[in-house]
Amino acid sequence: MPISAKYNFVPNFSMSAGLNFGINISPKVEVDPEGYISQSGKVENIQTLNICPFLGSEYQINTHIFADVRYNFHFFKIANTQLDTKIGFLQVGLGYKFN
């Protein structure tokens, strides 16, 4: 669930910044770290709510079609363990706006 602020620099190009609120609905994971052994199980002490700040941009191709890109930074841990459980990810999208 992202919450953002957008600023239009030129008519078809905008930048955005905000927070992405993610909710973990299941702590179960499947891990295949080396490609040899597949393990599955429950991650202990995983947080239910994850907050990721992001920066992004959008380009309006025409009145209906747009493309956007957004990077979510990995500042906060998603689990209270000794392992590094920070996540960061890049989102790329193509959208259609209805009138």
Side-chain angles (χ1 to χ4, degrees):
M1 213 171 22
I3 297 176
S4 66
K6 187 192 304 189
Y7 180 76
N8 292 319
F9 286 101
V10 292
N12 292 344
F13 183 74
S14 65
M15 297 289 290
S16 62
L19 294 174
N20 189 21
F21 296 91
I23 299 170
N24 290 324
I25 56 173
S26 175
K28 295 180 182 177
V29 296
E30 186 172 325
V31 180
D32 191 7
E34 299 292 328
Y36 301 109
I37 300 171
S38 179
Q39 300 174 351
S40 62
K42 183 178 178 182
V43 177
E44 299 294 328
N45 300 322
I46 196 162
Q47 296 181 10
T48 304
L49 178 65
N50 297 308
I51 302 171
C52 297
F54 68 84
L55 291 175
S57 64
E58 179 182 301
Y59 181 72
Q60 190 76 31
I61 298 168
N62 59 34
T63 58
H64 296 288
I65 299 173
F66 67 94
D68 66 349
V69 64
R70 181 183 299 169
Y71 184 75
N72 291 267
F73 295 94
H74 56 281
F75 295 136
F76 306 109
K77 286 186 171 188
I78 63 167
N80 296 324
T81 63
Q82 293 182 1
L83 297 173
D84 188 17
T85 56
K86 296 178 182 178
I87 56 172
F89 52 94
L90 180 69
Q91 293 176 288
V92 178
L94 185 63
Y96 184 86
K97 292 182 182 180
F98 296 94
N99 286 341

